[in-house]
Amino acid sequence: MNGMNGDAHPHTTVDLARRRDELTARTVELQWDLGGLLYEMATRNHIRVDVLVRRAAVLQVLDGELKEVERILRTEETGAAGQCASCDAPHSSGAAYCWQCGQPLLEQVPSAAICA
């Protein structure tokens, strides 16, 4: 146990907690901006759906990353399943890809080996 509170990887938890806080702040800011943008478009009776969709897509990506970071933090509190071989980021059981670098976490097995 390396951490003051008994965490095996305290620096990873702190980094993830910091990232969660950054993502939360950015998500709130983008939600606020999107709402304001829609309001301004509506008051001018000139709604540009393409602009709204682009802004919402950025928000959706950030929200997805935020949810993944929160899930990993919860997993760390209860115990992570392992670490990514490429970047050492923690991952939960059942994760197929690393949340940080995107590398597969599961061993790639040729289809011929499965059929044998």
Side-chain angles (χ1 to χ4, degrees):
M1 303 279 172
N2 299 336
M4 294 174 61
N5 61 359
D7 291 339
H9 303 287
H11 64 282
T12 304
T13 302
V14 171
D15 290 345
L16 284 175
R18 185 180 315 122
R19 182 65 180 151
R20 178 197 56 212
D21 295 344
E22 292 168 356
L23 288 168
T24 299
R26 183 71 178 129
T27 299
V28 168
E29 179 183 355
L30 287 175
Q31 287 173 336
W32 182 267
D33 289 348
L34 186 59
L37 179 62
L38 178 59
Y39 174 78
E40 289 296 324
M41 287 178 176
T43 61
R44 289 170 174 73
N45 199 23
H46 185 73
I47 295 183
R48 298 266 320 267
V49 176
D50 61 319
V51 173
L52 294 173
V53 167
R54 276 197 310 270
R55 296 281 181 96
V58 171
L59 178 59
Q60 186 177 20
V61 168
L62 280 176
D63 191 49
E65 184 179 349
L66 175 60
K67 285 184 179 12
E68 180 66 7
V69 168
E70 288 173 337
R71 184 183 66 78
I72 291 170
L73 281 170
R74 278 191 308 275
T75 301
E76 280 190 344
E77 291 171 1
T78 61
Q83 289 182 302
C84 174
S86 298
C87 70
D88 290 329
H91 68 80
S92 61
S93 61
Y97 295 93
C98 177
W99 67 273
Q100 188 164 335
C101 70
Q103 292 297 313
L105 297 172
L106 304 174
E107 181 181 346
Q108 301 294 319
V109 179
S111 57
I114 295 172
C115 295

